[in-house]
Amino acid sequence: MRKNILYFLFMSMSLVSCSLDERPIDFTQKDDFYKSNDDLIMSVNSCYNVLSHEQYYGNQFTSAIFCSADYGEGNTGQNSVQQFTRGELTGEHLILKNIWAQIYKGIARANSVIYYSEKAEDVNPVLKSRVIGEAKFIRALNYFNLVQCFGEVPLRLQPVLDFDKDEKLELASKQSILEQIVSDLVYAEANCWNREEKREGFVNEVGRVTSLAATTLLAKVYLYMATVGRIANDPNFKDGDFPGIHKDFSGYSNYDEYYTLCKEACERGISHKDFAMEEDWADLWNVTTNKNPKEYIFAIQYSNETGYGNRLPFLFLPRQCVLGGSRSSQGGVNRFVLEFVNLRTLDTDNNYRWNNGFVLNVEYRDGTKPEDWRWNTAGKGFYFITGTNTQGKGGGKNKLSLKKWNDPATSSEASSSCDLPILRSVDLYLMLSECKAELAQNPANGYADINAARQRLAGIPEINDTYLDGFEGETPMEKFRNLILRERLQEFAGEGDRYFTLLRMGKYISECKKVVAKGNGAKVRTLDNYYWPISQDEVAANTGNVK
């Protein structure tokens, strides 16, 4: 186990195939295992291990939500992320089934840890509460991913104790799932510890869930509930030509209460002792000198030690790129759709994050001439330029790549130590800005916090009424929501936020349509694309779960 970073691999990883893949690894399910403090820690470590898996954040889920957004594309062919790019998914899709099974594997482990830890005796009670809090946070994160991606899903909160019993688990309502997520996070906020906090001889190592992580995820859930409730109760709301967005959340007619709860959670988070923002935004992505920055409230942990690395540079960087790109003919597939980039939403008034977050100059290991990413002088859009060839090279290299996941020390496909941030401190300012404006129905109430989020960015304009006038919208609040949408895009590009924000704000169809209008037919969306289909494996196992 690396110092200060949470890594744990398990010797007994065999699972029996069943609905939801609910059988946890053997030792996390046995009453005779939870007999010591070390047993508790070992059991909850298994929950973290699922998050970093190749079929979850380690590759497939990360790539799927990148390509499902309006800006992303990846590899092509049958059972590739191309079907996520095009919105042509079925429940038979292999990657979709892998994601479904892996998330439920994580839920199964969390359920077992919670269930057996609660029964454990002769263990430190403070550590016991922390372990349960960690497991509840991870369970909440898993269910939040499920409800955003799939909508109604089975909700299991206890381990399966009798696998010989033929039990069918029906789909739970989205509201009941969100209520359970809130309950888990409230517990986690109260019982998880601070970053590297020491209590009674135990240390909360970097990489573990913290109280601030629970507060931040709770704020995100409240903001989701508030936004979908507002949209569901607006009879005039449409996404493109489609009404009925988030209609299943019409019961959240008290959505201002959720905005208030989000606001209060954000204020708790910003005042928390662990809250920190990197002074230089570019330093967030320097894994060589700044691994585990404090702004990463919760991140999926990796190491360049054999068996502990990830594929992020392999997936996102150009092949043979000296920043850590693939050394083979494979990889470099997760790129930004050119028609989206040419909309200029990524780079407008965003020089610092544009220059430091994207690969604008490519140097290659194989001696190929370096290339620059420039605006074509003929007005045809962005291209990679070699030397003074201002008309561009054309071909597959004319795709913008993300620079955030750079790691020059990578030696093979899955050897990067880049951590994948799931929650960053800056989000608390952006969520707080949105809540204050929505509660007052006045954009000016949100300016101070969004400016606080942007203050470290050199040369960036101040947000005020004059700046807001440049955004689309018939009312000031519509303009402000589009401002929030763009700010989140520019801050969190490639981190998984874009897809979820488009869905939450009811902008998925209309924003994808803008890309289609520029000639990319891959981003046509309808109301059916708001949720992925449920895995056919689950439908077959639980015949009542037809979607």
Side-chain angles (χ1 to χ4, degrees), residues 378-544:
K380 295 181 179 179
F382 280 107
Y383 292 89
F384 270 121
I385 309 295
T386 301
T388 58
N389 176 12
T390 56
Q391 296 306 308
K393 291 181 63 175
K397 287 187 177 180
N398 288 322
K399 301 288 185 179
L400 181 67
S401 297
L402 194 71
K403 188 179 179 181
K404 290 178 177 179
W405 319 131
N406 71 90
D407 185 357
T410 54
S411 57
S412 60
E413 180 176 325
S415 62
S416 172
S417 60
C418 289
D419 298 326
L420 179 63
I422 307 303
L423 301 170
R424 288 204 281 122
S425 298
V426 68
D427 203 0
L428 290 166
Y429 276 127
L430 295 180
M431 290 190 290
L432 183 57
S433 171
E434 188 174 344
C435 289
K436 286 181 177 179
E438 291 289 354
L439 286 168
Q441 286 297 288
N442 183 356
N445 285 48
Y447 291 162
D449 293 297
I450 195 170
N451 282 322
R454 291 157 56 95
Q455 64 183 348
R456 60 185 170 179
L457 304 171
I460 202 161
E462 180 183 0
I463 303 298
N464 52 34
D465 287 342
T466 302
Y467 189 81
L468 189 69
D469 284 341
F471 285 82
E472 295 179 356
E474 296 182 0
T475 67
M477 281 305 300
E478 288 178 4
K479 291 175 182 288
F480 182 79
R481 290 166 190 149
N482 284 322
L483 164 64
I484 288 289
L485 189 67
R486 194 180 79 178
E487 183 61 24
R488 297 192 70 88
L489 163 68
Q490 294 179 346
E491 179 65 37
F492 299 116
E495 297 177 54
D497 182 82
R498 177 67 173 178
Y499 177 54
F500 293 138
T501 297
L502 290 173
L503 294 174
R504 172 177 68 85
M505 298 186 74
K507 300 279 191 178
Y508 189 45
I509 298 169
S510 54
E511 291 299 312
C512 284
K513 187 176 181 179
K514 292 178 182 179
V515 180
V516 173
K518 295 295 181 180
N520 188 326
K523 293 295 181 180
V524 176
R525 296 294 191 269
T526 69
L527 199 57
D528 291 339
N529 295 113
Y530 257 78
Y531 295 105
W532 296 344
I534 283 180
S535 165
Q536 187 59 38
D537 290 349
E538 170 60 22
V539 175
N542 284 332
T543 55

Side-chain angles (χ1 to χ4, degrees), residues 174-192:
K174 300 167 197 172
Q175 290 90 335
S176 64
I177 297 168
L178 289 167
E179 288 168 6
Q180 181 59 48
I181 291 169
V182 168
S183 175
D184 280 349
L185 292 174
V186 168
Y187 181 95
E189 183 181 25
N191 290 280
C192 289

Side-chain angles (χ1 to χ4, degrees), residues 1 4-8 40-46 48 127 130-131 134 137-138 192-196 203-211 213 292 296-299 301:
M1 186 176 295
N4 293 332
I5 304 176
L6 185 62
Y7 301 108
F8 205 93
L40 294 184
I41 294 172
M42 188 180 298
S43 68
V44 78
N45 285 354
S46 72
Y48 291 92
L127 178 66
R130 189 198 86 181
V131 164
E134 290 177 72
F137 173 93
I138 293 172
C192 289
W193 302 358
N194 299 332
R195 179 180 170 117
E196 298 186 281
V203 180
N204 199 49
E205 300 98 338
V206 172
R208 291 194 180 277
V209 177
T210 63
S211 177
N292 291 301
Y296 285 16
I297 294 176
F298 183 71
Q301 300 284 303

Side-chain angles (χ1 to χ4, degrees), residues 216-236:
T216 306
L217 185 56
L218 184 60
K220 291 181 79 71
V221 175
Y222 283 143
L223 183 58
Y224 179 86
M225 297 167 78
T227 309
V228 297
R230 172 181 60 78
I231 290 172
N233 286 279
D234 181 352
N236 299 315

Side-chain angles (χ1 to χ4, degrees), residues 362-377:
V362 187
E363 295 183 17
Y364 297 102
R365 297 189 187 98
D366 60 6
T368 301
K369 279 189 176 182
E371 296 178 314
D372 293 321
W373 182 253
R374 303 181 201 163
W375 184 255
N376 184 282
T377 56

